[in-house]
Amino acid sequence: MRKILHGFILLLLCSPCCGWAAADQTEVRAVSIKSAVLAEQRELVVYLPAGYQQSNERYPVFYLTDGDIQGPHTAGTIDYLAKFEQMPPMIVVGIVNRQHRERDLTLTPKDQQKPNQPQNADQFLAFVENEVIPYVKQNYRTLDYQVLSGTSHGGQFAINALVKRPGLFNAIIAISPSLYWDNNQLLGLTEQALKQQRLQGRLFVSIANEEPTMTAPYQQFVDLLGRFPSDNLVVASQTFSDETHNTTVLQGQYVALKHVFAGWAIPEGQPQTLADLQAKFASRAKLLKTDLMIPEDKANGYGQWLQYLNRPQDALVLLQWNRTNYPQSFHAHTALINAYLHFKMAAEAKAAQKDALQSLKGLSTDQKAQLEALVI
């Protein structure tokens, strides 16, 4: 019985994820923009989520340093997690740092700083904020939700962005950040910001099996976060002891994304009522600052699961909601009719059949015949 139920759930809820077509894969675009801030041409690699061209939806954006190197696997991880509803699909913007990586991503040494003149990582952050982000918003369908991720010097850059521009990004991911740079300069800046309660959003930091030059300042950073907790900053940290500095990124991004979107997933193996689904989608909508509605196929799937479990009130409430909100969905109508029949509610099934035949537009001959055959 348990195996049958498990198979039924997989068929009902996961079948769209199990037959991915080539047209549903991520689209990659190479972009070149002229930067006034940096006085040079800069390259981006933009990864559009599966289905972007076939929809009018807007998407949160994931900004990533070393985008030509880290972009492909990160976009793949996001696509995979999104397909299984562990997080929303995202536009991934990989910023290429190949030629001027140290200059772009590291802080200016204290003895070389010029008053009121951003340099190095601060200047590059100004480029990201004032040129990259506006370009992406202008050319792609985006939501007002942004994540910044970086590794090594990119992790240093990401934490610097958290400290210097709190609120610019909703979440920061820093994998094996080079916090030793310029005698741990970033640790002092972070401590000041933490004491002033200026930091906000979600933060994930991690380290691998690395030399003390990397691990000692990292541990000091984690200790700082623990000493100055804030309700406005949700922190997670992890050590990947089986990974090296170069191999930790793939696993780090996966765990980081699960932290950033904690609470996004619908619990697996549990039937969901209309109230459950509405609460989940309300939470998602609040996070992304947009309107979201339960998809028709998801409401249908959970409605049929509740029907299978012989929970008539819960099943019918959900399937009735689905028909009302998707009045031109053939499947929403037929699922409700079948539920009425399953629960031996012949009069209600007949009325739902009549409603479907009258309200559905553009019925094919086969669809009309299917509807008429449901209730004789």
Side-chain angles (χ1 to χ4, degrees), residues 170-185:
N170 300 86
I172 295 289
I173 298 170
I175 298 171
S176 290
S178 54
L179 295 171
Y180 64 84
W181 190 260
D182 190 36
N183 298 314
N184 302 348
Q185 179 187 167

Side-chain angles (χ1 to χ4, degrees), residues 48 324 351:
L48 297 177
T324 300

